[in-house]
Amino acid sequence: MTVTTLSAQGLACRRGDRILFRGLDFALQAGEALHLAGPNGVGKSSLIRILAGLREAYAGTVERQGALALLDERPALDGHLPLGQALDFWRRIDRAQPQHAAPPPTTTGGRADPFGLDDLLDVPVRYLSTGQRKRAGLARLAASGAAIWLLDEPLNGLDAHWALAAQAAIAAHLAAGGLALIASHQPLTLDHLRTLALAEYAA
Amino acid sequence: MIRTLGVIFRRDLAILLRGAMGRGGAVLPLLFFLAVAMLYPFAVGPDARLLARTGAGVIWVAALLAAILPLDRLVEPDVEAGFFDQWALRGISEEALVLVRIAAHWLSFGVPLLLAAPLSAGLLSLDAGQLATVELGLLLGTPGLAAIGVTIAALTAGLRAGSALGGLLAIPLTVPLLIFGAGSLQPGGEGGLGLLAACSLAALAIAPFAGGGAIRAGRESG
């Protein structure tokens, strides 16, 4: 089993001429999850994008070992395609990527269809509701086989039942040796969950 | 990596050919290209000699304007939907993605124009020799038009007035292709084809880096 870690040292983020946070340190090992909490505008999404390598940190460094997967408010699925084909596009890409080769079945918690999408596979993505789209994004994430999950508001738009299912999927991912960083303003019930209140690092 | 890019190329091509999610597909620029050739004789009259003398230039102007039509849908929807971010997470470089998109764009816009050019030539009373030069010119010039188009689409993705700005940017950048392409049809203008090919190659060489850099820069500012 390869080592999976994600850590940050002295991370700072600037947006425009405003420093959102500074001096942020954390380290996550396989099986651990970090709940990123804080009010709107505190920099949760910016931090996730920095960790994903999509944004430069104003200061500090990020170290990671393991492949990344990101879920944000955009599912990156083709709206005109049936959901099955849209998900299949990413499956084909991820299968061709060597670092994503970890077998995904463990991350679905042993259930064949943890996000209840089987009945929706023929429906074009643009007809899906917000919650269904979020579940499709979670399915894309789980199927990627990446060890590090970066989740930006993964429970937004999900009803109580699917919010629990999403957390069960995250728990299964952690149990399978993955790690997760979850930005959410909703309470999470996960084992091995630490909470990082981003507002404490506000500059 | 090649297999990954193959999967992406097939998706790009399917979307650009068929049109989806507000993208017009390959049909609209093609109809536009033919419509210009159809309308021009109505405007200047049916004099075959006049048409034959000016028609090749009209074909080039039509090709250039047809290239501008799909600009705002070439890159923007995929930036908006998060595709480029997801590709970046998987370590796929923006330069490779832009190159793939240029190839798909050329196949969905350049090749249909090449196929439609004989029809345009007939409407404009061009003779076989002129048609051959037009076809050769379009074959050399449309890859450059596709490269410039994708670069501009990447630069303007996410800007509020992106589509209008894209059209404005495209005109000066494509003027050299128009001058050498249409110029190659003048008597003794065969050298224009070589210069046309050179412009096209230069655009193709620069586009992946300019377009890739533009997509990354757009991400930083977001």
Side-chain angles (χ1 to χ4, degrees), chain A residues 56 74 78 94 97 140, chain B residues 11 85-86 89-90 220 222:
Chain A
E56 295 245 352
R74 303 162 307 168
D78 275 315
D94 287 332
Q97 298 273 314
R140 188 206 69 219
Chain B
R11 169 187 175 272
D85 286 354
Q86 292 292 337
L89 281 178
R90 287 159 174 81
E220 271 303 301

Side-chain angles (χ1 to χ4, degrees), chain B residues 49-178:
Chain B
R49 264 179 314 165
L50 177 68
L51 284 179
R53 211 175 69 236
T54 55
V58 171
I59 288 188
W60 267 96
V61 171
L64 202 144
L65 293 177
I68 293 177
L69 265 189
L71 277 191
D72 59 324
R73 312 308 295 165
L74 269 179
V75 172
E76 155 100 27
D78 287 345
V79 170
E80 205 61 15
F83 277 93
F84 279 97
D85 286 354
Q86 292 292 337
W87 286 323
L89 281 178
R90 287 159 174 81
I92 305 165
S93 78
E94 283 77 15
E95 284 78 6
L97 292 168
V98 168
L99 197 61
V100 163
R101 188 140 306 189
I102 290 170
H105 177 44
W106 182 73
L107 283 174
S108 67
F109 130 88
V111 172
L113 291 198
L114 286 173
L115 296 176
L119 203 55
S120 287
L123 290 163
L124 296 167
S125 309
L126 300 191
D127 62 37
Q130 283 176 308
L131 172 61
T133 313
V134 165
E135 285 282 18
L136 189 57
L138 285 177
L139 183 64
L140 296 172
T142 44
L145 284 179
I148 292 170
V150 173
T151 307
I152 290 174
L155 274 169
T156 55
L159 298 182
R160 214 164 301 140
S163 52
L165 194 60
L168 279 178
L169 278 170
I171 290 168
L173 287 173
T174 50
V175 158
L177 292 169
L178 177 70

Side-chain angles (χ1 to χ4, degrees), chain A residues 129-141:
Chain A
S129 74
T130 310
Q132 289 169 334
R133 236 172 263 205
K134 188 63 93 179
R135 276 147 58 194
L138 283 162
R140 188 206 69 219
L141 183 90

Side-chain angles (χ1 to χ4, degrees), chain A residues 15 49 52 54-56 68 70 74 76-80 89-90 92-94 96-97 99-100 140 144, chain B residues 3-4 7-8 10-11 15 18 20-21 79-83 85-90 92 219-220 222:
Chain A
R15 194 148 192 172
R49 289 182 69 77
L54 297 172
R55 216 190 146 86
E56 295 245 352
L68 277 176
L70 168 74
R74 303 162 307 168
L77 297 169
D78 275 315
H80 64 289
F89 169 73
W90 288 110
R92 280 205 302 274
I93 285 189
D94 287 332
Q97 298 273 314
Q99 82 264 29
H100 283 256
R140 188 206 69 219
S144 77
Chain B
R3 254 178 66 204
T4 308
V7 173
I8 295 171
R10 278 201 299 278
R11 169 187 175 272
I15 287 180
R18 269 190 316 220
M21 302 307 288
V79 170
E80 205 61 15
F83 277 93
D85 286 354
Q86 292 292 337
W87 286 323
L89 281 178
R90 287 159 174 81
I92 305 165
R219 194 178 279 148
E220 271 303 301

Side-chain angles (χ1 to χ4, degrees), chain A residues 59-137:
Chain A
T61 54
V62 175
E63 276 173 41
R64 73 175 166 91
Q65 282 184 294
L68 277 176
L70 168 74
L71 175 73
D72 54 16
E73 77 281 10
R74 303 162 307 168
L77 297 169
D78 275 315
H80 64 289
L81 289 181
L83 177 59
Q85 284 181 33
L87 287 172
D88 214 41
F89 169 73
W90 288 110
R91 211 165 285 141
R92 280 205 302 274
I93 285 189
D94 287 332
R95 215 181 291 144
Q97 298 273 314
Q99 82 264 29
H100 283 256
T106 44
T107 59
T108 61
R111 291 173 53 193
D113 181 26
F115 305 110
L117 297 172
D118 269 357
D119 295 336
L120 300 170
L121 293 179
D122 295 331
V123 180
V125 173
R126 66 171 179 276
Y127 295 133
L128 297 182
S129 74
T130 310
Q132 289 169 334
R133 236 172 263 205
K134 188 63 93 179
R135 276 147 58 194

